[in-house]
Amino acid sequence: MKKSIKTVIIIFIINFALVLQGQTINRYGTTTANFLEIGVGSSAGAMGEAYVAMANDVSSIYWNPAGLAGLKSSSALFVIQPWFVDINMLFTGGAFAMPGIGVIGFGITNLDYGEMDVTTLEYQDGTGEQFRATDMAATLTFSRNIVSWFSFGSSMKYIKSNIWHSSASAFAVDLGVLVNTKFFSFTGRDEDGMNIGMSISNYGTRMKYDGIDVYQPIDISEFEEGNYGDVAGQFRTSEWELPLIFRIGVTLKPISTKFTTLTLAADALHPNNNAESVNIGAELNNKIPGFGEISLRGGMKSGMDDLFVDEMNETNNIAFKFGGTAGAGVKIHLFGNRTITVDYAYRTMGVLGGVQAYTVGFTF
């Protein structure tokens, strides 16, 4: 069984590499529900979003469903990410460990764009009304260890988007695997060997907006006098794909002692609506006996070309313009194996400035 699993992994990696190399067209602006591309959690954000092989908490629901299998206790996670121009993103998730069965997780992501003025062709300065736009994704995840060094996870996801009186919805599936190869262990222990993570996110149905906003009176012959100019009409909206993302990543632990662990991570991404990119990150974790843990994180997130330069290099399809990320976290151990985790992340976004993320987690 071990040999067959390794064969599947090798085939997956080879085909993934071929897809990366063969992609020559960037399909900018061809997907909807792009809030699904915004990373969840301060730990991942501070590490440049190089997290597919690092995922080991409730945020694994987003990054790699297989990462939930590593949870030994039930956990909850709350994330607040203020975005640009009064856009706010919230994530709430939980996971329940069931010994001998696996781990079941759930997560809800909500993006609120705030209130905006209603404008029309006749009233381009505003009609006096205001409208609101929101996006939401609800995810149900199952993950388990197949063998001690291999875990698998999958998610079912319901996605809904609202713009004033119109809405659209879709269903999607996420799949992920996490492998401990036992190679490149600097301590000689198997658990400190190189980890490989792979995930496919947002493989699902298309979204099509519908609602009373698409119904408008139409004059079918506006240059003819005497005809009826208020015929009921309906705009035909197009169907749009979801932002499908392939991720593959690795982690190494060059330092792993009783009190200090240094983890290095790197991810390669292949989205269906942008160029391929690479993210890198690092985490230095220090254990304090009788208290808990303190972590320092940093990273670089690529694929930022459109935010830093006016024009991409047409001869190079892979985007390697990096934006810096940084953050820190603290885990406090309580009685009865309970913990509280507080994390912070800051990420640069070129001409748009920077964004922050605040995360609070509980283990009970």
Side-chain angles (χ1 to χ4, degrees):
M1 181 179 179
K2 184 174 181 179
K3 183 177 179 180
S4 62
I5 293 176
K6 285 187 175 180
T7 302
V8 171
I9 294 171
I10 293 172
I11 293 174
F12 188 97
I13 293 174
I14 292 174
N15 282 277
F16 185 86
L18 291 175
V19 170
L20 288 179
Q21 186 175 5
Q23 181 74 10
T24 57
I25 300 175
N26 298 326
R27 301 171 62 232
Y28 302 129
T30 59
T31 60
T32 188
N34 292 304
F35 76 101
L36 297 173
E37 298 180 86
I38 301 176
V40 168
S42 302
S43 298
M47 293 182 63
E49 298 190 357
Y51 213 67
V52 69
M54 183 80 176
N56 56 7
D57 57 14
V58 178
S59 69
S60 303
I61 294 172
Y62 175 85
W63 299 104
N64 185 353
L68 278 186
L71 295 178
K72 305 302 180 184
S73 303
S74 298
S75 304
L77 194 72
F78 304 92
V79 183
I80 300 176
Q81 296 188 128
W83 214 241
F84 307 107
V85 292
D86 296 327
I87 299 174
N88 288 296
M89 179 176 173
L90 302 176
F91 173 83
T92 302
F96 301 93
M98 298 178 293
I101 299 176
V103 180
I104 292 180
F106 68 91
I108 297 178
T109 302
N110 185 77
L111 196 71
D112 190 339
Y113 297 90
E115 291 187 341
M116 292 169 276
D117 294 329
V118 176
T119 60
T120 65
L121 290 175
E122 293 78 15
Y123 300 96
Q124 298 186 24
D125 292 328
T127 64
E129 298 177 281
Q130 289 189 320
F131 74 98
R132 203 173 196 93
T134 60
D135 288 322
M136 185 274 294
T139 308
L140 179 64
T141 302
F142 176 76
S143 178
R144 67 167 294 162
N145 290 315
I146 306 300
V147 291
S148 61
W149 52 272
F150 179 84
S151 60
F152 171 81
S154 62
S155 299
M156 293 292 295
K157 186 182 298 181
Y158 173 70
I159 303 149
K160 187 174 181 62
S161 179
N162 292 283
I163 303 177
W164 205 13
H165 303 123
S166 297
S167 63
S169 61
F171 292 91
V173 175
D174 296 351
L175 300 173
V177 296
L178 195 58
V179 184
N180 176 241
T181 66
K182 304 178 183 178
F183 299 127
F184 304 107
S185 175
F186 292 84
T187 63
R189 298 190 297 264
D190 291 343
E191 60 269 22
D192 292 330
M194 180 177 68
N195 284 348
I196 299 177
M198 292 171 282
S199 70
I200 301 173
S201 302
N202 310 319
Y203 180 77
T205 61
R206 298 190 175 201
M207 296 184 70
K208 181 179 181 179
Y209 284 90
D210 194 10
I212 63 174
D213 294 330
V214 301
Y215 294 92
Q216 298 289 334
I218 298 175
D219 187 347
I220 59 176
S221 183
E222 59 179 320
F223 300 108
E224 180 180 338
E225 296 183 0
N227 68 309
Y228 184 67
D230 287 327
V231 178
Q234 178 183 6
F235 293 107
R236 290 183 178 179
T237 56
S238 299
E239 292 185 339
W240 295 85
E241 298 178 13
L242 297 176
L244 184 66
I245 307 174
F246 297 86
R247 292 185 177 94
I248 182 171
V250 297
T251 63
L252 288 172
K253 295 180 180 178
I255 299 176
S256 182
T257 67
K258 185 177 180 180
F259 299 106
T260 303
T261 302
L262 174 63
T263 305
L264 306 179
D267 283 10
L269 284 73
H270 173 69
N272 67 340
N273 60 358
N274 208 328
E276 292 81 13
S277 60
V278 176
N279 301 332
I280 55 176
E283 178 187 67
L284 181 63
N285 186 45
N286 297 280
K287 296 180 180 179
I288 302 176
F291 173 77
E293 302 174 10
I294 295 178
S295 300
L296 300 176
R297 306 179 181 99
M300 302 291 285
K301 178 176 171 57
S302 68
M304 310 292 289
D305 295 64
D306 295 335
L307 300 180
F308 284 89
V309 296
D310 296 330
E311 186 177 329
M312 286 186 65
N313 185 356
E314 298 294 337
T315 62
N316 185 2
N317 184 52
I318 301 180
F320 288 113
K321 184 69 177 182
F322 289 90
T325 62
V330 58
K331 177 186 288 187
I332 303 173
H333 295 296
L334 304 176
F335 295 105
N337 293 324
R338 295 178 175 88
T339 64
I340 297 178
T341 304
V342 179
D343 294 299
Y344 168 80
Y346 179 84
R347 169 181 162 188
T348 58
M349 296 286 288
V351 296
L352 299 179
V355 295
Q356 304 176 73
Y358 309 88
T359 302
V360 178
F362 301 93
T363 299
F364 46 89

